[in-house]
Each structure stands twice: as C-alpha cells, then as structure tokens.
Amino acid sequence: MIKRMTAAGILALAMGSASMPAFASGWPVFDAANFLKNTLTAAQALKTEVYENTNIAYQYKMMLNQLTQATGLDPAALAEQANVIKADISKLEEYGQTLQSLYGGISESADFLARVQSLVVVSGKTPEQWFQDQRTLIGNGDKAAKQLFSIARKIAGNNQSLAKRRAKIQEDMTLSPTAQATAEATNHMLDVLASQNSDVLQLMSAKAQSDATKDQRALAADTEATNVTQQIQRDQEAQLNKLRQTVFKN
C-alpha cells in the first residue's frame, strides 16, 4: 500500500511539472524533451498499473483456490461466489492485456519521438523549419515523409483506441482507492499525450496547412466581397440622394 501511494505521489509531481506545448503563429512548437518526458512518465505509470493488476489478479486466483478447497459450505452459495470471482478474474486479465498493449503503444510513441528528434538534429535546422520541410515533402508526394507521417498517425490512433478501451473496462471494474488514484493520474498523462500527438500530426500534415491557407483565402474573399457590397450600397445611396435633391429643386 505504501509503495502504491508513493508511486501515485511521484506521478502526481511529474504531472504537475508537465507542461502543454506552446503555440507560435497558430502552429504548435515541437518540444522533443517535453514530449519524451511525458511519454516515458505515462509508460512508467502504465507499467506500475500492469504490476498492480497482476498482483490483484493473483490474489483473486488464490481466493478462488481456497474457496474450491473449502468444506462444509452450501454448494449453491459456493458456486455463486466462485462464479463472481471468476468473472472478476476475467475482467482483470482483460484489463491487464489492454494495459500491456497500451504500454507497447506508448513505447512506440517514445521511439517515434526520439526518431523525429534525431532527424531534426541531423538536419541542422530548427524544429519549425524541419516540419515545414516535411509538410512540403508530403504535399509533393515524397515517400519517406509520407511514411513518417503514416507511422505517427497509426501510433496516435492506436493509442487513442486502446485508451478508450481501457477507460471502458475501468467503468466495469471496482478499483481500490489507491488503484483508482493511480489510474486517474495515468489517465491525465494519456490526455496530455493525446494532445501532444495531435500537435505532431498537425505540424506534419500538409492537408492541415492547405486547409488553413484555404480558410485564410476564403476569409479574405469574404472580407473583400463585403467591402465591395458596402461600397455599392454607399454609391446607390449617394445617387438616390442626388436624384431627390434634383426632384425637390424642380
């Protein structure tokens, strides 16, 4: 119990120091160190949950073993209790498999971010310049850039679906207060990663850039059309006033 509380406390401190990426000119700023730190923290939190879940499942199996060896109990009540424990074990095992899959996905995210960071460093450019190059390459159909973007999109989508599955299983399980606190802390870190993964995809997406440019052009066209309409109305009003003055003089 003390170890679990300590782990939860450390994770809470880590979350407090985790900051969301800044924005400049409407685009996220790639902070590789911050991304990797949050990713590794989330991975460690999931690893802790896997360990805790394995211990809890083991305890349930021990309870089931003791129950099946008990004597002098009502057979119907014994069977009912055994079925309840078996159902709990099934949920814990399903939860454990989802946690392990999500841990693997987060580890892939860390590997991808490390790869992107190394590519930025090797290029000798700033992260903003490198992502601009990638957007241009993706727009021109470059295979390497498209593959890199495809990997990022696949990892982000997989992690998101696994996180939703994890949350769904949590709703059907009864967690201890300590385990619940740890799960909530992990959920927060997964939310941070979801936001940061979205930022990376936005930085690399040529479509996002083209959509933004299209929106700016549409806004400019609307503004120009509005100005023209207002000028026509002013001209019409001026002509009408001039006509009225002529009629009244006559």
Side-chain angles (χ1 to χ4, degrees):
M1 181 66 72
I2 293 176
K3 289 182 178 180
R4 291 180 183 176
M5 292 178 66
T6 302
I10 293 175
L11 185 57
L13 290 175
M15 286 193 308
S17 61
S19 59
M20 298 298 291
F23 286 78
S25 302
W27 288 96
V29 176
F30 179 73
D31 185 348
N34 180 266
F35 279 31
L36 285 172
K37 176 184 176 182
N38 290 340
T39 303
L40 294 175
T41 301
Q44 182 58 46
L46 286 166
K47 189 175 182 180
T48 300
E49 279 202 64
V50 170
Y51 176 77
E52 290 183 353
N53 187 75
T54 302
N55 284 340
I56 295 173
Y58 176 77
Q59 293 172 10
Y60 270 79
K61 290 178 180 179
M62 290 293 294
M63 289 171 57
L64 181 61
N65 184 55
Q66 293 173 0
L67 191 63
T68 55
Q69 294 180 6
T71 58
L73 298 177
D74 179 65
L78 183 65
E80 181 180 358
Q81 186 64 29
N83 289 334
V84 172
I85 295 177
K86 287 179 181 178
D88 289 337
I89 291 175
S90 296
K91 291 179 181 178
L92 288 167
E93 288 179 343
E94 182 183 1
Y95 187 49
Q97 291 173 359
T98 302
L99 287 174
Q100 291 177 359
S101 299
L102 187 52
Y103 174 77
I106 298 301
S107 298
E108 286 186 54
S109 295
D111 293 340
F112 173 77
L113 291 172
R115 178 182 176 186
V116 170
Q117 184 182 21
S118 65
L119 289 173
V120 173
V121 173
V122 170
S123 70
K125 300 180 179 180
T126 65
E128 290 75 14
Q129 292 173 332
W130 185 84
F131 277 110
Q132 178 63 48
D133 290 345
Q134 295 305 305
R135 288 197 297 274
T136 301
L137 290 172
I138 291 173
N140 294 335
D142 182 80
K143 291 183 178 180
K146 289 176 68 176
Q147 182 181 19
L148 193 66
F149 177 64
S150 177
I151 293 173
R153 187 167 53 187
K154 180 180 179 181
I155 292 175
N158 185 49
N159 289 343
Q160 184 176 5
S161 62
L162 285 171
K164 289 181 179 179
R165 182 182 174 192
R166 170 184 183 272
K168 179 63 175 65
I169 299 175
Q170 276 185 340
E171 294 177 359
D172 300 331
M173 294 177 60
T174 302
L175 300 177
S176 67
T178 303
Q180 183 66 36
T182 303
E184 290 176 356
T186 307
N187 286 340
H188 178 80
M189 288 308 304
L190 292 175
D191 288 342
V192 172
L193 292 186
S195 174
Q196 293 183 329
N197 283 331
S198 175
D199 292 341
V200 172
L201 295 180
Q202 184 183 7
L203 283 167
M204 294 186 65
S205 175
K207 185 178 185 303
Q209 185 187 33
S210 64
D211 288 346
T213 302
K214 187 185 300 182
D215 291 341
Q216 290 176 353
R217 290 176 179 174
L219 179 60
D222 290 342
T223 302
E224 183 178 358
T226 301
N227 293 336
V228 170
T229 301
Q230 291 176 349
Q231 184 61 45
I232 292 175
Q233 291 176 346
R234 287 194 293 268
D235 292 343
Q236 290 176 343
E237 290 176 359
Q239 291 174 3
L240 181 59
N241 290 333
K242 184 177 182 180
L243 180 61
R244 286 174 178 172
Q245 292 174 2
T246 303
V247 171
F248 289 149
K249 285 181 180 179
N250 294 335

